[in-house]
Amino acid sequence: MTVTSQRHSVLLENVYSLIDKKVDANKKSLVQQFGRLLYKNISSDDLEHRNDSDLYGATLSLWNALDKFDSQSPYIRVFNPEIAKHGWHSSHTIVEIIVNDVPFLVDSVRMALNRLGITAHLFLHSPIWLKRDKAGQISDFVDPSEKDKDTVKQTVLFIEIDRQTTKKDLDSLKKELFSVVNEVSLAVQDWQQMTDKLHAVTKDASKLNWPVDGSETKQTKQFLDWLADHNFTLMGYRYYDVKAIEGDHRWIPANDSSLGLMKNSISDRERLISKLPASARAEALSENPLILTKTNSRSRVHRPAYMDYVGVKVFNKDGQVSGEHRFLGLYSASFYNQSATQLPILREKIQRITDLSGFEPGTHAYKAFVNIVETYPRDELLQTPAAELAQIVMGIFQMQE
């Protein structure tokens, strides 16, 4: 053990000694366990220039919040601790977050801070298995290997950020974090329902009356099955009825069908297709079973990218679009990392593009053309029509040659 790490070990032991001296006898063992869980992964660098009394104060502040935590709603506190008011001090603003453990929480909170241009100087993330008594207070911390039906997993975040000097700034950040945590909760809580809906839509594809041949129907179903196999992080769903009116079409939201993030955008406002660009209008009413594009808003959950939009069309007996199952989310890393020729819909699309090139398979020109297609930006490869892509890739090929 180095001199530095030994000093830091002594510092934390001093914190636990303060807990032993100052906390009520019936609680101090639990508070010490909590402190060890909280600081389990803190780095030596993050312990530099700290003192035991302020670490003790931070520990007790979070403990008191966790002990009283009501799992029905998230706990979020943004404040500037002062000796006179809180019994401890920090030169930074402190963010305390306690929630039932959910995926994407850490990434989404970091994204929120980055979006606001706020630097996190310390970010402690502690998922904790615990039990509560009948009064709702903590009765025990549990090793994950020993959890049972009475054990719950709750996450504690302790973050030191750039100092926010006004009440307006503190309140604004707190409001933003509540909004982000709410979106994370909506997406996670409804994930299974959205997955079930995607499976149901795929299973009932024959009832959607897609006006395409059996081969394209098979490709579409394979793509939807691939999405459902953990290749698409589902975040929102809603069904839309499509009604033809004189010279236009209306997309009418079935608000009761909304799941995930779509619950945050419930509105009776009808969308007129005439408001869309010409290319989007043509695609929305085309015979293609799917609409594959991106939304115009960035995700605040998981990854700060524009959300992906997968629309599954419903047609009437006359071959006209009469409805849409709309799924929003983000493609997983496999979509970007796998060879495009291995992905459903893309492999068939690539085959069509290479056929349009007119190059004989196996020739130098053919291989060079395929390489351009393979390395083309993946989102654009998915969303751009095959004929248009073939022209673009041919232009790139001709420039390279």
Side-chain angles (χ1 to χ4, degrees):
M1 181 181 289
T2 65
V3 173
T4 301
S5 61
Q6 186 174 16
R7 185 173 70 248
H8 292 156
S9 178
V10 170
L11 176 63
L12 289 177
E13 287 304 322
N14 288 343
V15 174
Y16 307 140
S17 293
L18 284 172
I19 293 171
D20 187 58
K21 292 176 184 176
K22 295 186 175 185
V23 175
D24 290 344
N26 63 334
K27 288 285 188 180
K28 63 183 179 184
S29 176
L30 286 171
V31 180
Q32 284 180 333
Q33 288 182 65
F34 171 69
R36 293 182 189 279
L37 290 168
L38 178 64
Y39 298 121
K40 180 172 64 175
N41 295 316
I42 192 169
S43 70
S44 294
D45 288 345
D46 285 329
L47 285 172
E48 281 291 334
H49 311 299
R50 294 183 185 273
N51 62 67
D52 50 14
S53 60
D54 286 338
L55 285 172
Y56 165 78
T59 306
L60 206 61
S61 175
L62 261 177
W63 159 261
N64 288 330
L66 180 63
D67 195 33
K68 300 171 186 174
F69 176 58
D70 177 1
S71 61
Q72 297 304 308
S73 59
Y75 168 87
I76 300 177
R77 184 185 187 195
V78 182
F79 68 111
N80 295 320
E82 304 169 13
I83 294 289
K85 190 174 182 180
H86 305 98
W88 63 290
H89 170 266
S90 174
S91 59
H92 297 112
T93 291
I94 302 300
V95 178
E96 298 175 344
I97 301 177
I98 303 174
V99 294
N100 291 323
D101 188 64
V102 289
F104 314 135
L105 177 67
V106 172
D107 290 341
S108 302
V109 170
R110 286 189 186 277
M111 282 162 47
L113 296 176
N114 291 338
R115 197 163 51 245
L116 297 172
I118 296 173
T119 300
H121 301 274
L122 176 67
F123 199 113
L124 298 181
H125 166 228
S126 303
I128 299 173
W129 290 96
L130 54 85
K131 290 185 178 182
R132 295 183 181 272
D133 59 24
K134 292 181 179 179
Q137 294 184 318
I138 296 172
S139 60
D140 194 12
F141 291 106
V142 181
D143 186 277
S145 63
E146 298 175 358
K147 64 182 184 291
D148 58 29
K149 62 181 179 63
D150 297 319
T151 312
V152 295
K153 189 180 184 184
Q154 295 173 338
T155 289
V156 172
L157 299 183
F158 178 84
I159 314 168
E160 292 180 348
I161 62 171
D162 294 336
R163 193 167 183 85
Q164 309 298 298
T165 56
T166 69
K167 184 177 185 300
K168 181 181 178 182
D169 289 339
L170 295 171
D171 291 344
S172 176
L173 176 56
K174 182 177 178 179
K175 182 179 179 182
E176 176 69 11
L177 291 173
F178 262 113
S179 177
V180 167
V181 170
N182 176 59
E183 286 197 2
V184 173
S185 297
L186 279 175
V188 172
Q189 288 170 6
D190 286 355
W191 176 82
Q192 189 59 58
Q193 286 178 270
M194 291 185 283
T195 301
D196 292 344
K197 175 59 70 172
L198 181 54
H199 281 304
V201 169
T202 308
K203 183 179 179 181
D204 294 339
S206 61
K207 299 177 182 178
L208 305 182
N209 300 316
W210 294 335
V212 294
D213 60 27
S215 174
E216 190 165 346
T217 294
K218 182 180 178 181
Q219 293 170 23
T220 303
K221 291 176 67 175
Q222 286 177 341
F223 178 71
L224 295 176
D225 283 334
W226 177 83
L227 289 182
D229 189 23
H230 305 289
N231 290 301
F232 190 77
T233 302
L234 288 160
M235 294 186 185
Y237 165 81
R238 182 181 293 144
Y239 182 76
Y240 289 83
D241 282 307
V242 178
K243 302 292 184 185
I245 58 175
E246 187 173 352
D248 212 332
H249 287 78
R250 290 182 298 183
W251 257 249
I252 306 169
N255 287 323
D256 290 345
S257 69
S258 301
L259 295 171
L261 300 187
M262 287 293 213
K263 288 180 177 177
N264 275 348
S265 61
I266 289 177
S267 168
D268 291 327
R269 180 174 63 89
E270 297 176 354
R271 282 79 168 170
L272 291 175
I273 197 172
S274 58
K275 303 292 185 182
L276 298 176
S279 59
R281 291 199 300 271
E283 185 60 31
L285 296 175
S286 75
E287 293 184 349
N288 295 332
L290 301 179
I291 301 173
L292 302 174
T293 186
K294 284 188 176 289
T295 68
N296 58 8
S297 59
R298 286 186 181 274
S299 169
R300 300 200 303 166
V301 176
H302 183 37
R303 201 169 71 233
Y306 287 100
M307 280 196 287
D308 295 296
Y309 168 149
V310 178
V312 184
K313 297 179 193 174
V314 181
F315 293 81
N316 60 25
K317 293 181 180 179
D318 296 323
Q320 299 170 326
V321 178
S322 60
E324 179 198 338
H325 295 279
R326 184 173 301 179
F327 296 91
L328 301 184
L330 293 170
Y331 291 108
S332 68
S334 60
F335 174 72
Y336 298 98
N337 296 335
Q338 276 186 276
S339 167
T341 58
Q342 302 302 311
L343 299 174
I345 283 196
L346 282 187
R347 59 175 171 249
E348 291 82 12
K349 191 173 194 178
I350 290 171
Q351 185 60 57
R352 291 199 300 276
I353 294 169
T354 53
D355 289 345
L356 288 169
S357 74
F359 295 130
E360 184 180 347
T363 62
H364 166 77
Y366 181 88
K367 291 176 181 177
F369 189 88
V370 170
N371 183 63
I372 295 169
V373 176
E374 274 267 28
T375 55
Y376 200 75
R378 194 61 54 92
D379 288 317
E380 294 179 38
L381 189 59
L382 180 70
Q383 297 162 23
T384 309
E388 184 180 338
L389 263 175
Q391 291 181 344
I392 294 170
V393 175
M394 181 60 77
I396 297 171
F397 171 82
Q398 289 169 344
M399 287 191 331
Q400 289 183 353
E401 292 296 307

